[in-house]
Structures are given as structure tokens and as C-alpha cells.
Amino acid sequence: MDYFVDVVLPIPLQRLFTYRINQAEAIFVKTGMRIAVPFGKSKIYTAIAVTTHQNPPQAYEAKDIHQILDEVPMVNETQLKHWQWLSNYYMCTLGEVVRSALPSALLLESETLIEPITGVAYDESQLSDNEFLVLEALRHQSSLKIQDVIDILDRKSVLPIVQALVAKQLIKLKETLYDKYKPKMVKYLKLSETYRSEEALEKLLQNLSRAKKQSEAVLSFFQIQSMQKGPIALKKVLDSSKVSRPTINALVAKGVFELYEEQTDRVIHDTRIKRAGDIQLNGEQTLAFENIQQCFREDKVCLLHGVTSSGKTEVYIKLIAEALKTGGQTLYLLPEIALTSQLIHRLRTYFGNQVAVYHSKYSIHERVEVWQNTLENNERAKVIIGARSALFLPFSNLNLIVVDEEHEGSFKQFDPAPRYHARDAAIVLARLHKAPCLLGSATPSIESYKNARTGKYGLATITRRYNDVLMPEMELVDIKEATRKKKMKGHFSERLLEEMMLQLEEGQQIILFQNRRGFAPIVECTSCGHANQCPNCDVSLTYHQHRHQLRCHYCGYHTAVLKTCGACGNATLDTKGFGTEQLQEELLKLFPNEKVGRMDLDTTRGKYAYEKIITAFEQNEISILVGTQMVTKGLDFRNVGLVGIMNADSLLNFPDYRALERSYQLMVQVSGRAGRTQNRGKVLIQTYNPYHPLLHQVTTYNYHQMFAEQLYEREQFKYPPHIRIIKITLKDRDYNKLNEASDWLASSLRNVLKSPVLGPEFPVISRIRNHYLKHILIKVPRGKHFGKTKNGIKRLEQSFNAISKYKSIRLIYNVDHI
């Protein structure tokens, strides 16, 4: 009797696929194992086994699997349930979730090999030069990879040449699996059994008296052995003795040393970190801790609302310590990789090498190692700190989830699918593991705070800063008036410069926040008003002075800066607006004796770039730090006396229903970086409209008034949290076809759903990478069944795809659009 296995493939197809296996394989295969399967004409994919059975597929003939890749499952059943929920809720395929969740090194892929067809004669005169070179190479090698052909021909486009040779029946193509993950192996030396007695050693050193280099290597080995316990790495002996590898090889050949390899982790933890004792909480922290524990006993998600620098992290550490007592695992989610680099050291002082880190700046090999340690419930992965992708790890004994800075928009994934919100997905993951979940923030999102106010979540609060330090003093600076009176130096008001000089004289550091990177967003001709636009997107090119380039922040297009206007030819070009790069340049002129740092996407591209900037600022190597949103998110600097917000109006006047909520969160969060020790900090907010109601809510730290006003407004205009929103984006290269299709879909949605449907409308930037975009917004009232609405949309999508001229149009769903 035949046996079959249902698998999920890491491709954007909704259904599971069935493959044939034999009886022995059916007994061996477990849910969550990786299986290499053929798909399509020749491709081989890594699939995840879901279930085995004896029911053949009705619609097609089942193929045999290629091979089973694992001895034990790499994905557990709780993970698969969570991934299925993500797929259903966020309206994407399970394959897209698998592709996003698994480290790419675990998704083995097939590679095309080119092999010659033996015994076939060919006329060299009928071949092109490139075809002849490929066949000549195959005379000396049994097969070639596509990359080998690229190297041989020194050109990127080689597929037409390969296809021509296939058509002439001179070569054949074959698919083979290749593994992207290679364990890190370290070579070690040990002394041979023959030379372990004193007499043998003495004789050895006498024999090596003429071989000076070999003698130095042996003496270095003994010196290292006397200083450290455990195996001795070959590299350490080479570095210590300053000898070359052939010298060691000679000693191995003589039987003096034995050389062996052992697998090691790529992520090496610093074992010299001094361990701290049990954490001590103050009165307010203790009360918050007890309230959180009570919420957990009632099986509620808990929101910890604590002002900036109130010591929320200490409460988290206390909760993690309690969770570890039962041998469980803890997931600590952060919105930014920048935060993890500062927090890792802090957590390791309490939990040592039990702390693991997982985020996109880690290499694919390092991520696989964290994955395996988590799967095995290893001591090195009891506390996992990470950005949103850490949700996908294979937890076997999850005891606690902490979502810090839960209000952050960075927790929402936008591209590619699944377009999930890590905070909401973490709450569901906690339920699946029957683990408590804590959300923490100084400025909670409207949704979370409403849930806490209505009793759906528990609420714990900390209203005072740690050690009763006063909240920073806020001051609004009217730059409209300052500009009129010509009291501005570049983008700095006299008041801001005066305060900066005072703080620097007192040895304090300064953070300046400007939510735009680059030098200037527009380079404009003062004669004709022409500004360079991106050829692929409907957006002006941003000027980056450091690279002397105009760059598009959407598609990556860049070009050198022209000295004359491209439209009228005049050399009268000027910049409009300003970014972090321009601020840094102005500061270097205003404060030539101070070190000015910059923290934005351009300066943090490297793996350790965040860590270097943060460490330099912590150690007072940088006096003034200019940054984008990265500097606002929970960073703990002890010597910041002043925070300057360069232009509050760019935050307030954004076309989004969340603009005021986000503005409040950003300004209060960046203000919280000031005065975190004994001295009271100061915050200056530059604005053209100092009478804006939200700015007064910021300066008085009146979160409750902001919350009440925003909640009332959203109720009036029907926006979350009173309703749910699904945004559908239509994307195509043909402008007219997109308009026609979006009108058809919007009218169909209105007829089928009977819910408010807004649009279709072009977004602010209506073309990206030569694809036009149109948005349709569906508002789903809270009383209406959300799942039925999504099913109705999916049925309409089938009708939409059945229209032949709309087949090229891509539909993108964004559930709970923020």
C-alpha cells in the first residue's frame, strides 16, 4: 500500500502538496521535518512535513520525494499552529510564512548543473565563441555550475548561451541540492601520547634544538597549556609562537602533535562579564511587579505603563529571573536592533551566557545556530533577545514573552508577506504556549491602552522616574518668530545654541532629533524651479553630500549631482529642507572642538555599526549625537543633559490618522533620553506653531489627555481601535489598466461586503520601481465577523483573477493597517 506525506512549500501557494513515500519513510517522518521535494519541471525545494497518510491526491499523480533532510523535526507543532494563524489572519499563504520564518540557510535549494552529453560529435565552426568555451571547459570537468559559466565567459547573462547548447543537444541540465549552512569548525592541537612523559619531552626538545621554529612552537604550546584549561586552538599556537602553518604540519608529521577539529558556535559570548546579584526593585517597581504577577495569574496580557527612565527594564529582568527558575525560555522582543546591542550586556550581567540574540544583522549561519540552540532548549538560549523575526524561533518551553516599546510601528512588517504585527503575533504565540505576555511602554499605543482601560488587558503603572529624578524640563522655541527676526543660525535657533553651549561647558552630552536622513530632500534650480526626480518612482531624489549623490530612498536609484540644472542649464542650484547629514555639517562648523556623531540608516549598515556608535556615545567619545527615530527608542544614556527636536511640524503635519499619536510618542520618547541620572534634563522643541494642542500635551506629559482626544476623534471618523482596517494595494506597470481594475474591485467590495470602502485612491507616492499603486481601505466594524469579511475578499480575488486582462495586477493585503 502506498504512503503519502502532505508538505508546505516555501512558495506563495495556498495549499499543501502531497508526495509519495515508502512505508519505512512514513514511519520515520515526523511533523516539522524538512523534506527535499521536486516541484515543477526540475526544481527541488525544501518543504516542511505536515502529516503522513494513505490517501492519494485526486487531482494529480503524486511524485516521490527527493530525500528526508532531518533526523529530528526542525519545526515543532506549536510553531506550525502559529504560522497557520499568521497565514489566516494576515491573508497570506502558509508558504510565505515558512519562507519568512525559517533562516534561509535551512531552506536548501537546488542548483542547476551543466553536464556534457557523451558520445555526441559537433562541428566547432557551427558554435559561437562563448558556446565553444563552455564545451571546452566541460572536456576538463564533469559538470559546471551556472556561476562557473559566468566566471568563464566573464559576463552576467549566460542563460541564452546555455539554452542554445541544450537546444543543440550538446549539454544537459541537472538539479542538485546544495546546503547553505556550514558548521564552523575549529582546529585544535594536542600532544601525542608518545611525548607525555618528562623523559620523552626532554629528548624531544634536544632533538629539536636545531629546528628553531619547531622548538618555539612546542614551547609556546606548553606555555599556553600552563595558562589555560581545556583544548588549545591551532590559531592560538600560531599567533603565540609566530611560526607558519608548515612548521606545525611538520610536527604533526613527526608524531609530536595531533591535529583535530571540533564544531563551535559562531556567536562567542564574553565570559569575562561580571555577574550581578539579584535585582533590587524600589517601591513603585515592586508594586508594578506584584500587579503584573496578579494579571498573569488571571491569564491576562498585562500592559506596563511606566514613564521614561522609570526602571521598566529592572521589572522585566525580575520577571525573567522568575521564569528561568522553572527551566523555561523567555522571549524579549524589541523594535530596533540598536536597542538589542545596548541591552545584551545588561542582561548578561544577570543571566550570563543564557542570553541569545536573533535579528537580521546576524549572518545566516549565526541564525541557524541560535535556531538549533532554541530547538534543543539549550542553556545558551534560555533568554532570547530579538527584533520581530525572533517570534518564529522553535520554542519548546516558552515561559514568558516581553514586548518592550510595544507602541512602535517598527513591530509591523510591511514587505514581504506575512505583513504581521509582532506585538499581536506575540500575544497569540503566548496563548499557544500558555505563557504570560507583558507589553511595556512609556507611551502605549491607543489600542493597547484602550484594552487595558476596558479590562481586556491588565494594567500596571510606574509614575515616577527611578531614584525620583525629575522629568526633563520642556520648552517650545518659536522658529517662525526667530526666522522673522533673523535669529537663526542655519537650522538652529539662538535659544537652542545658547542651551547647547551651556550643556557642553558643564560636560553634558546632547541628542538632536531630525526624522530625515541625507543632506537635503530636494535639490532645486532657483531659476526655473526644476528638481531632480527618480526615474522609477514619483519622488524627488535626496541629496547625500558625503557620497556626492542624489539617491532615491524607495528603489535605491542614485546618480551623481549635476553642477547645472538639467532643465534650463543654469548653475543656480539650491537645497530645500534638511536631513541629519546637513545638521552634522552645520554642527561641525558651530562647534569645531566637539565630536559630532550621526545615527541613521546610512551610518548603521554594518553588523556592529549600532554597537560602535552607542558605545562611543556611552563612553563620552561623542559630545553631540544627531539621529533619526533610532535615537528615540529606549536607549539608556547616563550623561545626556539636553535633547533638541529640530522640527516638530514635520511630524505633526503628516497625512495619516495616527500622525498625532506617533508625534506624541516620538517626542516624549526622545525627551526621555535626557536627565536620566541626578541632574534634571532639558528638552527644546523647535516649531513654527508653538500653540498646537499636541505640543502642549507633550510639554506637560499629559498622555491621558492625548489618549482621550485621539480616541474621541477616531470614534467620530471611524478609525481603529473602534473599527478594523484592511488595506488592499493594487500594483501594476500599466496606469490605465490599474485604474480600471481598482474601480472594478472597489465597487465589487462595496456590493459584497456591505462595509465602508474608501477609495480607490493613489497614495502620496503613487509609483515605486515603475509600478503604479492604488489603495482601497475597508473599514470593518467591531460587531462584524472579521473572518467572514476576509473570506468574502478572498472569494472576490478569485473572480478578479479570472478576468484575463487583470492577471498581471498584484493584490497586496495589509490587515490591521497602521
Side-chain angles (χ1 to χ4, degrees), residues 314-328:
E314 279 77 13
V315 177
Y316 302 153
I317 290 168
K318 185 77 171 173
L319 287 163
I320 293 167
E322 292 294 314
L324 290 179
K325 286 177 183 175
T326 59

Side-chain angles (χ1 to χ4, degrees), residues 334-343 359 599 604 610-611 614 630-631 633 635:
L334 291 159
E336 281 281 354
I337 298 164
L339 281 176
T340 63
S341 60
Q342 193 179 44
L343 193 65
H359 55 63
M599 191 171 173
T604 55
Y610 289 100
E611 207 172 320
I614 289 167
M630 293 177 186
V631 299
K633 299 174 183 177
L635 293 165

Side-chain angles (χ1 to χ4, degrees), residues 611-636:
E611 207 172 320
K612 285 175 184 172
I613 295 168
I614 289 167
T615 304
F617 195 64
E618 281 178 328
Q619 295 174 355
N620 278 6
E621 292 170 18
I622 295 172
S623 305
I624 306 168
L625 180 64
V626 182
T628 55
Q629 287 188 39
M630 293 177 186
V631 299
T632 71
K633 299 174 183 177
L635 293 165
D636 184 22

